[in-house]
Amino acid sequence: MKGLMFVAALAVAVPARAQIGEPANPFLGSAPRATATTASMALSVKDAVQRALQYNLGLLLQEEAVKTAHGARWRALADLLPDISAGASSARQIINLDAYGFPGEPSIIGPFNIFDARVYVSQPIFDLRAVNDARAASATERAEALGVRTARDLVTLVAVNLYLESVAAASRIEAAHAQQATADTLFKQASDMKQAGVVAGIDVLRARVQQQNQRQRTIRAENDFEKSKLQLARAIGLPPGQPFTLTDRIPYAPLADVTLESALKTAFESRADYLAARERLAAAEAARRAASADHVPTVHLDADYGAIGQTPSDAHSTFRVAATLRVPIFDAGRATARRLDSDAEVKRRQAELEDFRGRVEYDVRASLLDLRAAGQQLEAAQANVTLAGQELEQARDRFAAGVAGNLEVAQAQEAVAAASENFIGALYAHNLAKASLARAVGTAEQSVMAFLGGSK
C-alpha cells in the first residue's frame, strides 16, 4: 500500500503525457541500451541507483530539456553578438539611363562587367531589450540545469523505493514459506491425532483449510515479487528479460538525530527545485525588463569592406561604415501586450516561489513525522512478531495435549501471518521514510545510502 501511495504521489509530481503510447510517468520508465544475457546479475541497491541515473527515462528527458534551453540562450545571444558574413558577385549588364531619370545620349550604357567581393559586419551597439532577453534565457537555462539535479534526486528515490518494495516482497515470500511449512506440519499432526482418535474430523478439515490458505498466500507473494522485480528493472534500465537477484536486505538501522532546524536549513540551500523556482522568477523579471525596453531606441553599426571592379585583377578596395538609430514610435500595441504578459508571468513565478518555500517546509516536516512514526510502528511490529510466535507455540501445545481444538491454532497462525506482514510493511515504511527525508532536504543522490544505514 505504501508503494502504491508513493507511485501515486510521483504521478502527481510529474505531469502525465497526453498522447497515447507515451509513458504516463517517465520516471517509471527507462531507455536500456544493452541486451539481456542468460547469466543472472547480482544487483545491490547502490547498483540500482547508479543504473537508474544512467538510463531512467525521466532523467534523460530532463537532460534534453537543458539542451533545448541552451539553444534558446544562444538564440537570445544572437541579437547581441556581431553578425559577420562574406559574399562575392560577378555580373555583366547593360543600363538604360532613361529608366533612372537621366535623359541624354547615349542613353544605353554597356555591356560592362562588375565584380564585387566583400565582408559584411553588423553589430548591435545599444539594445536594452536584447540584453534583458539574453539574461532571461540564461536564467531559464540555469533553472533547467537545476531541474536535472531535481530529476536525479527523484530518480534516486524512485530506484530506492522500488528496490525496497522488491526486498519487502522477497521477505513476504520467506514468511509465506515458513507459514506454509507450519501449516503442513499442523495438518499432519491433526491427521495423526484423528487416526489415533484424539481429535474430531473438523480439526483435520480446519487444518486443511489453513494449509490451502497459506498456499494461496505463497503463490500471491511469489507473483508479487516477480512483478516488483519487473517494475524495478523497467525503472533502472535493465534489458527486458534480464535475470537478476537482490543482494541487499536493508535491515533496520536507526537514523542519527536530525533536527528540524538543520533539515530546513539544508533543504533551502540544497533543494534544486526550490533554487530552480528562484531562477525562473529571475528569468520572468528579466523578460519584463525586456518588454519595458521595447520603446527604448536602439543603435546598430553596419559596415562592409571589400574590392570592386570590372575584373578581380583591376578591383579596388572600398568600405562603408554606418550607424543606425532606430526609435520606436507605434507598434500597434505589441509592446503593451508583451508588457502585460510579462507582468502576469512575474506574478505567477512569485506565487510559485512562495508555494515552493511552503512545499519544502512541508516535505521536511512530513518526512520527519513519517520517520518518527515508522520507527515507533517498527518497534511495535517487532514485539508483536515475538508475541504472535509465542501464541502459536502455546496453541500448538494445547492442541497436542488435547485440552483445546485447533481453532486456537488457526487463529494463532493468522496472528503470526498478520504480525509478519505488519513487520515487513513497517520496515519498508521506515526505510522509505529515511530515503524520503534525504529527498526532502535535497541531498538524495549524495546521502541516501548513508540515510539507509548500509545494507546486508
Side-chain angles (χ1 to χ4, degrees), residues 112 177 206 302 304 427 432 444 449 455:
F112 58 90
H177 285 166
R206 191 179 290 119
D302 298 295
D304 65 70
L427 180 58
L432 180 60
M449 298 306 299
S455 56

Side-chain angles (χ1 to χ4, degrees), residues 192-381:
D192 293 341
M193 293 177 68
K194 181 180 180 298
Q195 290 179 359
V198 178
V199 299
I202 186 64
D203 290 320
V204 178
L205 290 175
R206 191 179 290 119
R208 181 62 174 167
V209 169
Q210 197 65 22
Q211 185 184 42
Q212 293 303 313
N213 287 339
Q214 294 297 344
R215 183 170 179 269
Q216 290 179 1
R217 287 172 179 160
T218 301
I219 295 172
R220 184 167 56 248
E222 291 173 346
N223 183 64
D224 290 344
F225 175 60
E226 293 301 326
K227 288 173 65 177
S228 66
K229 287 177 64 179
L230 286 176
Q231 193 171 22
L232 173 61
R234 281 275 297 123
I236 66 175
L238 285 179
Q242 173 64 52
F244 66 94
T245 57
L246 306 178
T247 60
D248 291 338
R249 299 304 302 271
I250 315 181
Y252 170 72
L255 183 65
D257 289 338
V258 178
T259 64
L260 176 62
E261 292 74 16
S262 64
L264 287 174
K265 182 177 182 296
T266 302
F268 284 119
E269 292 174 352
S270 304
R271 277 282 290 262
D273 50 358
Y274 173 70
L275 299 178
R278 291 170 54 181
E279 292 294 345
R280 285 191 290 269
L281 175 58
E285 291 173 341
R288 182 171 63 179
R289 291 193 296 271
S292 300
D294 278 341
H295 292 301
V296 176
T298 60
V299 179
H300 282 249
L301 177 67
D302 298 295
D304 65 70
Y305 178 84
I308 188 171
Q310 289 191 344
T311 63
S313 60
D314 61 7
H316 295 281
S317 298
T318 61
F319 70 89
R320 184 182 70 91
V321 179
T324 303
L325 173 66
R326 178 181 177 274
V327 181
I329 297 176
F330 178 72
D331 62 359
R334 285 188 294 271
T336 301
R338 187 183 180 199
R339 198 158 51 246
L340 291 174
D341 289 343
S342 62
D343 285 340
E345 180 69 7
V346 168
K347 292 179 181 178
R348 188 168 74 89
R349 294 304 185 186
Q350 287 173 341
E352 181 185 78
L353 180 60
E354 290 303 315
D355 176 69
F356 259 107
R357 179 179 293 275
R359 189 185 308 176
V360 168
E361 184 153 347
Y362 169 81
D363 288 345
V364 172
R365 289 179 180 273
S367 296
L368 289 173
L369 289 172
D370 288 343
L371 182 61
R372 183 179 63 182
Q376 294 171 349
Q377 290 175 353
L378 185 59
E379 291 179 3

Side-chain angles (χ1 to χ4, degrees), residues 7 10 29 34 115 117 123 153 171 174 208 218 224 245 253 295 307 330 363 373 418 420 451:
V7 173
L10 184 59
F115 171 80
Q123 169 66 58
D153 273 359
S171 299
E174 294 177 0
R208 181 62 174 167
T218 301
D224 290 344
T245 57
H295 292 301
F330 178 72
D363 288 345
S420 297
F451 273 53

Side-chain angles (χ1 to χ4, degrees), residues 3 6-7 27-28 56 156-168 228-236 246 428 432:
F6 172 81
V7 173
F27 287 92
L28 297 179
N56 186 270
T156 299
L157 181 58
V158 168
V160 169
N161 173 66
L162 294 178
Y163 196 97
L164 291 173
E165 284 187 348
S166 298
V167 169
S228 66
K229 287 177 64 179
L230 286 176
Q231 193 171 22
L232 173 61
R234 281 275 297 123
I236 66 175
L246 306 178
Y428 163 77
L432 180 60

Side-chain angles (χ1 to χ4, degrees), residues 13-61:
V14 182
R17 301 287 173 175
Q19 298 183 6
I20 297 176
E22 294 189 7
N25 191 334
F27 287 92
L28 297 179
S30 61
R33 298 172 187 157
T35 56
T37 62
T38 56
S40 180
M41 176 188 299
L43 187 71
S44 66
V45 64
K46 185 176 180 180
D47 296 334
V49 170
Q50 290 176 345
R51 290 192 65 89
L53 292 174
Q54 285 182 295
Y55 303 116
N56 186 270
L57 180 60
L59 179 56
L60 294 177
L61 295 179

Side-chain angles (χ1 to χ4, degrees), residues 66-78 133-134 136-138 140-141:
V66 175
K67 296 179 182 178
T68 301
H70 187 63
R73 176 173 172 266
W74 272 107
R75 285 193 296 273
L77 285 174
D133 280 338
S138 296
T140 300
E141 183 183 17

